[in-house]
Amino acid sequence: MKKNIFLSLIIAVFFCQINTVLAKKAAAVEIDSTKLITVLSPEYCSDINGETRISFKAPGEKTATVKCWIQDATWGHDSVFTPVKLNRQGIGKFIFRADRFPHGPLCIRINAGNDHCYLQLYNTGGISWNEGIPASPPQASGMKLVFQDDFNGPLSISSSGTGTTYRSRHTGGNFSSLPFADFESPKNPFSQKDSYLRIRGDVNKGSTGLISTQYSCSVQYGYFECRFIAPMVTGSWPAFWGVTSPVEGERGGDEIDVIEAYGAAPDLYQANWHIWAKEHTAAPKPEDIHMTNIGGKSNWSATFHTYGVLIKPDSVTYYCDNIKVWQHPTTPYLKKSPFYVMINLAIGGGGWPYDLRRYNNVADMYVDYVRVFQYPRENEQ
């Protein structure tokens, strides 16, 4: 444990400095609720099935547009509804035929005037589409599968990580303004729904969640991937990332951010690297991944996407839906130590405000699966 202290302190100080600034402006963000689209029914983040009447209010507007991602033979596409006419009070209604849409998490996007509302729902019926763990991707060719979880059974999470698959703590501290809570806590943010892990950011409970494979899977050189959908709310900061295990006799480590998404940036996410040592070093500029220009051209909140990173002795390559999106030379600690991954839904942090009041103070991230491949060792080849 002593080997973790120096690195933990560096990361903790970095995030504390960020959160000190954030605390002054993020705790309560004043908004003009008279100009926001408000869904009247069903409840945000609730279950639906079959024909569902969606009712909403968009004050001062006459029409609204509605979209929701729907399956097809390849990437899927936006199903665009007939424009919804609003009455004098700005109230509109439409029927959502959930049986036509994918089973599981959905995001119905409602736009009126300059406002956008992201209605998260869970379709208990619908069509099973791309659910579960697929065949190995080309970038993992020649590797051995050493870890996978499609969350179709009881969750194995604990604050210590001892004897469980995941740890719900990060050694660098709590960098989310809405604190990460433990599975054992009354504020538990984790649940298993069908074949998904749900991480709920809940302002009412004062909690959100992070999981780590720190004590169950650490690999030097391999391919790491995760498939998830995350909430587009003010201040959301979902991520799939990882760090190196401590190196004997050294005080430092590498961080690889496969995806950091932000509620204020709907059409892109960022990838990045950090070297945590006596002095913090990072990429000159995080790489902006404009995901609405590649593949199916949908963003990280409209539908599920798979995010991956291939770590080799000479290079680190990032993927979105098996499409190469960025590459850089391998950072120094990745050449010395195994790498483990984390998945989190941070709410606030990083110097920006958060506000979930429009959504009854809840937002959900759903993880379909996570898996790790490793290059075979010499005696296994």
Side-chain angles (χ1 to χ4, degrees):
M1 290 298 294
K2 290 182 178 179
K3 299 171 188 175
N4 286 324
I5 293 175
F6 181 77
L7 179 59
S8 300
L9 285 175
I10 293 176
I11 300 175
V13 168
F14 174 75
F15 283 116
C16 285
Q17 289 173 341
I18 291 175
N19 287 341
T20 298
V21 176
L22 181 66
K24 296 179 180 179
K25 50 186 175 182
V29 181
E30 294 303 321
I31 55 175
D32 184 355
S33 60
T34 64
K35 297 181 180 180
L36 292 179
I37 299 168
T38 303
V39 173
L40 305 176
S41 67
E43 291 187 9
Y44 296 104
C45 296
S46 63
D47 292 351
I48 61 169
N49 195 346
E51 290 196 359
T52 303
R53 182 180 295 273
I54 310 290
S55 176
F56 64 96
K57 185 175 183 179
E61 301 297 333
K62 295 181 179 180
T63 61
T65 59
V66 177
K67 298 179 182 180
C68 186
W69 204 257
I70 194 168
Q71 69 280 345
D72 61 26
T74 52
W75 303 101
H77 63 274
D78 257 333
S79 176
V80 182
F81 290 58
T82 301
V84 180
K85 294 182 179 180
L86 312 181
N87 65 19
R88 292 183 179 180
Q89 289 74 43
I91 295 175
K93 300 177 182 179
F94 65 96
I95 297 297
F96 183 80
R97 293 178 172 82
D99 287 349
R100 295 180 51 239
F101 288 81
H103 168 265
L106 298 174
C107 180
I108 299 175
R109 293 118 66 208
I110 304 172
N111 169 237
N114 295 321
D115 190 30
H116 298 266
C117 178
Y118 300 90
L119 172 60
Q120 289 188 291
L121 297 169
Y122 191 93
N123 188 1
T124 60
I127 298 170
S128 181
W129 181 58
N130 291 342
E131 293 182 293
I133 300 177
S136 300
Q139 53 272 25
S141 177
M143 298 187 199
K144 179 182 178 181
L145 177 67
V146 294
F147 178 89
Q148 71 174 13
D149 191 355
D150 63 358
F151 303 103
N152 62 353
L155 299 180
S156 178
I157 306 171
S158 68
S159 58
S160 68
T162 303
T164 57
T165 305
Y166 303 101
R167 187 185 185 196
S168 56
R169 302 274 182 98
H170 170 42
T171 55
N174 200 327
F175 54 84
S176 174
S177 296
L178 194 63
F180 295 129
D182 295 322
F183 186 68
E184 308 95 325
S185 165
K187 298 182 178 182
N188 173 28
F190 308 105
S191 63
Q192 190 248 349
K193 196 171 181 70
D194 294 331
S195 61
Y196 300 104
L197 165 67
R198 188 188 74 183
I199 305 176
R200 170 161 288 183
D202 191 332
V203 179
N204 305 303
K205 285 186 176 181
S207 65
T208 189
L210 172 150
I211 59 171
S212 159
T213 66
Q214 182 177 5
Y215 298 126
S216 60
C217 181
S218 295
V219 167
Q220 185 175 20
Y221 304 140
Y223 183 67
F224 309 77
E225 72 173 2
C226 179
R227 184 173 187 259
F228 68 79
I229 184 172
M232 186 73 68
V233 299
T234 301
S236 60
W237 186 12
F240 174 54
W241 59 299
V243 297
T244 53
S245 301
V247 177
E248 183 73 31
E250 297 192 32
R251 301 191 298 178
D254 288 345
E255 172 185 334
I256 297 296
D257 301 320
V258 186
I259 168 176
E260 291 186 273
Y262 308 96
D267 296 328
L268 59 83
Y269 67 87
Q270 290 186 331
N272 204 353
W273 59 262
H274 299 264
I275 302 172
W276 298 100
K278 290 183 178 180
E279 294 183 3
H280 166 239
T281 307
K285 179 184 177 300
E287 185 71 10
D288 290 340
I289 312 298
H290 294 271
M291 62 189 312
T292 53
N293 294 333
I294 63 174
K297 299 179 171 55
S298 61
N299 67 25
W300 46 269
S301 72
T303 188
F304 280 93
H305 293 276
T306 302
Y307 307 94
V309 62
L310 175 63
I311 300 176
K312 300 169 67 175
D314 60 344
S315 64
V316 178
T317 308
Y318 300 73
Y319 294 85
C320 177
D321 293 332
N322 297 322
I323 298 170
K324 178 181 173 180
V325 293
W326 191 37
Q327 186 177 69
H328 60 75
T330 303
T331 45
Y333 287 96
L334 289 174
K335 298 179 180 181
K336 304 176 182 181
S337 179
F339 177 81
Y340 64 88
V341 296
M342 286 171 273
I343 305 165
N344 68 252
L345 173 59
I347 302 292
W352 54 87
Y354 72 90
D355 194 316
L356 278 63
R357 285 177 290 175
R358 184 214 296 248
Y359 303 106
N360 293 337
N361 282 325
V362 295
D364 290 336
M365 177 181 186
Y366 283 91
V367 184
D368 186 10
Y369 71 86
V370 58
R371 63 180 171 178
V372 176
F373 298 85
Q374 184 178 27
Y375 284 102
R377 302 179 187 275
E378 290 185 8
N379 60 3
E380 296 177 336
Q381 293 181 346

